[in-house]
Amino acid sequence: MISKSFKPFNDRGAGQAKEEPMVFGRAAAGSDGKEHSYVSIKNWAEEDRPREKLMAKGVESLTNAELFAILIGNGTAKKSAVELMQEVLKSCDGKLRNLNHLTLQDLVQFNGIGEAKALTIIAAAEIGKRRMMEDSSDITQFRTAADVQRYMQPMVQDLTLEKSWVLLLNNNARLLSCVTLSSGGLTETLVDVRLLLKKALLHDATSFILVHNHPSGSLKPSRADADLTEKAHKAAQAVNIRMVDHVIVTEGGYYSFAEEGKI
């Protein structure tokens, strides 16, 4: 699926400023309208070449485009690898996490990116995501909704549909299992409370946290979210299992029913 946020480099909206490709820090066409000749990276000043810059100044000195340029190796006859990756990143609104939204078919639309380079970019983006997942896996005890948001962040960052999970906990608020309950549409997902309680009982959980994402980025709970919270809370009490919280997570934050005093 091609993400809604994907913008091919040659698809510019009306009135949108055109970002001019850079060569040695200067635009390819100056204010005088004259085009500067293309210069390949191997002919750049040594301190400007990504590899040499990394060795001399450290990896922190490189831009995201320069880091990816090292990975893909080269550009085209008219465009450096750095400029090529600037275009790719621009299509992602300049955000690295949006690279995970681009498919092989999306990437090969860029002139100069074939399957080999596209696969390299996809692999690098996935490594970044797995790095985040390693960090989140260190969270095994859930004391606050912020802990839930940090744990769930890698799972929700690439989702375009709503999905729900339950975090099953023991007496010490330690994670027994994270179970997917449902995957729905763009604006809602249905949760079977009976299935939720069945999972809790099978894992001998004494408490649980219900979690779902909002792909829109909105942290405002819907009426359906509130109804589900109330229904799950009452059902859990009936079987002597504690519902700790219902947390809505997005890429940028969370909403906690418990912190808002609604559980």
Side-chain angles (χ1 to χ4, degrees), residues 64-138:
N64 292 336
E66 288 171 335
L67 289 170
F68 274 100
I70 292 176
L71 293 177
I72 66 172
N74 54 64
T76 69
K78 295 183 178 180
K79 192 177 299 176
S80 72
V82 174
E83 292 172 307
L84 185 53
M85 286 310 307
Q86 284 173 341
E87 289 186 349
V88 173
L89 291 170
K90 183 183 177 183
S91 76
C92 300
D93 296 325
K95 297 177 181 178
L96 288 174
R97 67 172 179 263
N98 288 342
L99 277 176
N100 289 96
H101 296 167
L102 301 186
T103 65
L104 178 65
Q105 290 72 28
D106 294 333
L107 287 166
V108 296
Q109 291 185 49
F110 290 89
N111 183 28
I113 294 185
E115 286 190 356
K117 289 178 182 176
L119 292 172
T120 297
I121 294 168
I122 290 170
E126 179 63 18
I127 288 171
K129 180 179 177 180
R130 293 187 185 189
R131 165 71 164 79
M132 289 182 63
M133 293 182 74
E134 283 185 354
D135 289 343
S136 70
S137 66
D138 292 337

Side-chain angles (χ1 to χ4, degrees), residues 1 12 98 115 152 176 206 220 224 259:
M1 177 187 298
R12 306 183 190 276
N98 288 342
E115 286 190 356
M152 298 300 302
L176 296 172
T206 58
K220 183 178 180 181
E259 290 183 0

